[in-house]
Amino acid sequence: MMKILLSILAVFLSFVISAAEEGADEKSNTAKQTKTVYKWVDKNGKVHFSDTPREDAEPMVIRDVQSVDSTIPTAGLKLLKPKKQSTDDGRSPKYKYKNFSIVTPQHDQALWSNDGIVEVEVSTDPELRGTDYFKVTLDGEPAFKKQKSTKFNLTEVIRGTHTLKVDIYDRTDRLLDSVSSTFHVHKQSAKRPNRGNN
């Protein structure tokens, strides 16, 4: 890699020298600034340049040295700035909640519910962003499509084992996170009243 860079530098200096010499022929006899540069190749084949003369160096005279503006134009700065990371579909990276859980009903919890109502509470850390929402399903069926509150009730829940799933979506309807919980609903039988009433 270093050899390539040095070769490019040598070609560049040769170009500057030849351009300066051509310019000198075309211009009038005005005084020119000159600079002598010494070029040599070491035992490893690396090309070196210096303004200090050496015994094994070849002198190179540079006439009418021109300065080059090394500032980067504004358009170039835009190209050099790293682009904002995005996903394959062009959208920004997904927001990540540190913690997302179902507080109630707890996993594998047994509930007594004669009215078929099950209270649900979910927790997020940090709090749910204003543009995000919950999608709630019970046993694979939609219960709430766009729920913003972390506390809500499921109604008409029959006796048996159920799977509650809560997803968080962003404003572009992209899934951010998902949790689920299994719970069991028991109901008091009309044929079997409370055991304490014998």
Side-chain angles (χ1 to χ4, degrees):
M1 184 65 160
M2 187 59 107
K3 284 184 181 180
I4 294 171
L5 290 174
L6 289 173
S7 299
I8 291 170
L9 180 61
V11 170
F12 175 75
L13 285 174
S14 299
F15 175 78
V16 170
I17 291 168
S18 65
E21 289 173 348
E22 287 175 13
D25 292 340
E26 294 174 4
K27 292 184 180 178
S28 61
N29 294 332
T30 57
K32 306 278 188 235
Q33 289 184 352
T34 61
K35 176 76 174 168
T36 303
V37 175
Y38 300 91
K39 171 187 169 186
W40 77 95
V41 180
D42 67 16
K43 63 182 179 180
N44 296 322
K46 290 185 180 178
V47 179
H48 299 273
F49 296 92
S50 174
D51 58 355
T52 305
R54 288 175 50 111
E55 198 174 295
D56 56 344
E58 172 189 343
M60 302 173 71
V61 178
I62 301 173
R63 293 185 183 96
D64 196 19
V65 178
Q66 298 177 355
S67 64
V68 178
D69 185 7
S70 62
T71 58
I72 301 172
T74 305
L77 284 173
K78 287 180 182 174
L79 293 173
L80 292 175
K81 281 185 180 177
K83 291 183 178 178
K84 187 178 180 182
Q85 185 183 7
S86 63
T87 57
D88 293 340
D89 59 5
R91 296 187 286 185
S92 59
K94 290 198 307 186
Y95 180 79
K96 184 71 179 160
Y97 285 91
K98 293 178 188 175
N99 186 28
F100 177 37
S101 62
I102 297 174
V103 179
T104 56
Q106 295 177 0
H107 184 66
D108 209 28
Q109 182 177 359
L111 304 171
W112 289 92
S113 176
N114 280 341
D115 55 5
I117 296 175
V118 174
E119 294 178 359
V120 177
E121 182 180 353
V122 295
S123 172
T124 63
D125 180 24
E127 291 183 3
L128 188 71
R129 296 186 305 171
T131 55
D132 296 345
Y133 64 91
F134 300 115
K135 181 178 178 184
V136 182
T137 57
L138 182 64
D139 301 327
E141 297 295 323
F144 296 96
K145 291 186 178 178
K146 287 197 174 184
Q147 174 68 25
K148 300 291 275 181
S149 175
T150 57
K151 293 181 181 181
F152 49 90
N153 291 334
L154 299 172
T155 59
E156 300 179 13
V157 181
I158 62 172
R159 183 172 51 191
T161 299
H162 301 279
T163 301
L164 171 67
K165 183 180 177 199
V166 184
D167 302 320
I168 301 179
Y169 284 85
D170 67 11
R171 66 178 174 209
T172 63
D173 299 324
R174 179 173 47 177
L175 179 65
L176 301 179
D177 209 341
S178 183
V179 290
S180 61
S181 176
T182 300
F183 62 93
H184 315 280
V185 173
H186 300 282
K187 291 190 177 183
Q188 185 71 43
S189 171
K191 294 180 181 178
R192 297 181 64 191
N194 289 336
R195 291 176 185 169
N197 298 334
N198 283 338

